Amino acid sequence: MWLRHRLWPAAAVLPLTLLVLRDAPVRFAAPPPQAQVHERARGVAQPTIVTRAAWHADEGMVREHAVYTGAVRAVFIHHTGESNTYDCADVPRMLRAVEESHIRGNGWDDIGYNFLVDRCGTIYEGRAGGITRQVRGAHTTGFNADSVGIAVLGNYGRGAEVPKAIVRALAEVAAWKLRPGADPQGRVRLVSTNDASRYAKGEAAVLHVISGHRDAYQTNCPGEALYAKLPAIRAAAAALRQARTGTADAEPPH
């Protein structure tokens, strides 16, 4: 684990070649202050998450305030594409490099992913706007609304080892963030908002509730090895909800 007060070397922009372009300018206006409420309590407890303040995100780089969408209906799993040999103590520096790459390199408002996970299984806050809020990310072209994007730091292509800590962390975030009534092992119907995805704008797609990036976009992300772990991640997320509430749903559907 990393020490908060350690001095980190200057961030170098990572070779994040597997990132997607943000959706075409389909904007969701932020609700008025009185309507900006936290998501209601869930059956699954929030996992431990390292905040942006703790990893020293550069808030001065953020271009616009967060925008919000509906309750989370789908989770998209990614990998960032760099080496897997990093020391987990160096992750705050790596996150600042991802932030710089997304904002200054890609021209996005903020880091694209809602959450990131390192190879030690530590979960980090990604895009700003509130960990418990339904923040619209820039992670899966065509399907950024009503979804959460979680990226694992590293490259999980064919032959890579996926530590159990990563599977556990991804399952914890998915079980906690998915809306009441969502089955982590089920499927969901989503409508694409961008022709650049695998589905034309306006076309309905039936996807796994917990999907890989490649399910919605022409990419190898999240890599063969991590993609092969999706069934285990779905099962673990369902078990977490089952253990807490007696059903795979966090709460009964309304």
Side-chain angles (χ1 to χ4, degrees):
M1 294 288 98
W2 53 278
L3 299 176
R4 181 171 178 179
H5 298 295
R6 177 174 173 180
L7 295 177
W8 308 105
V13 176
L14 300 173
L16 305 177
T17 58
L18 299 176
L19 301 176
V20 301
L21 297 175
R22 74 180 288 178
D23 283 353
V26 177
R27 299 291 294 173
F28 289 77
Q34 64 271 22
Q36 293 183 3
V37 296
H38 288 281
E39 295 182 63
R40 56 197 174 86
R42 298 175 176 274
V44 177
Q46 176 184 314
T48 300
I49 298 171
V50 179
T51 66
R52 289 171 63 93
W55 61 260
H56 302 298
D58 185 347
E59 303 299 356
M61 272 199 295
V62 177
R63 298 179 181 221
E64 293 186 24
H65 295 300
V67 293
Y68 300 91
T69 67
V72 175
R73 303 176 63 214
V75 175
F76 290 100
I77 306 298
H78 304 252
H79 70 170
T80 56
E82 71 277 5
S83 170
N84 296 351
T85 60
Y86 58 86
D87 187 327
C88 290
D90 286 337
V91 168
R93 175 187 58 79
M94 296 170 67
L95 295 176
R96 291 192 294 273
V98 172
E99 180 188 25
E100 183 174 0
S101 175
H102 285 198
I103 297 173
R104 292 180 176 165
N106 295 350
W108 298 349
D109 295 338
D110 193 359
I111 194 168
Y113 310 118
N114 298 102
F115 300 94
L116 298 98
V117 172
D118 69 20
R119 67 185 185 88
C120 296
T122 303
I123 304 164
Y124 299 85
E125 179 183 11
R127 176 161 288 225
I131 289 172
T132 63
R133 306 286 297 278
Q134 301 104 320
V135 179
R136 183 177 189 266
H139 50 81
T140 306
T141 296
F143 299 97
N144 286 321
D146 303 345
S147 69
V148 159
I150 314 170
V152 179
L153 289 164
N155 189 327
Y156 291 92
R158 190 179 303 276
E161 179 185 358
V162 181
K164 291 180 180 179
I166 288 176
V167 172
R168 182 179 66 248
L170 293 172
E172 287 176 349
V173 177
W176 165 61
K177 286 297 291 185
L178 281 168
R179 70 176 178 83
D183 179 359
Q185 294 183 290
R187 292 181 179 267
V188 62
R189 181 181 181 275
L190 302 173
V191 177
S192 173
T193 63
N194 195 312
D195 288 331
S197 78
R198 285 186 180 272
Y199 300 87
K201 182 177 180 180
E203 182 180 357
V206 178
L207 302 169
H208 288 285
V209 169
I210 300 177
S211 286
H213 184 190
R214 67 174 64 180
D215 294 326
Y217 188 78
Q218 295 285 355
T219 177
N220 288 326
C221 182
E224 296 292 339
L226 185 53
Y227 192 80
K229 291 293 185 181
L230 290 182
I233 294 165
R234 295 174 190 129
L240 285 170
R241 289 164 81 111
Q242 181 82 23
R244 180 63 180 85
T245 67
T247 174
D249 299 341
E251 297 176 18
H254 295 278

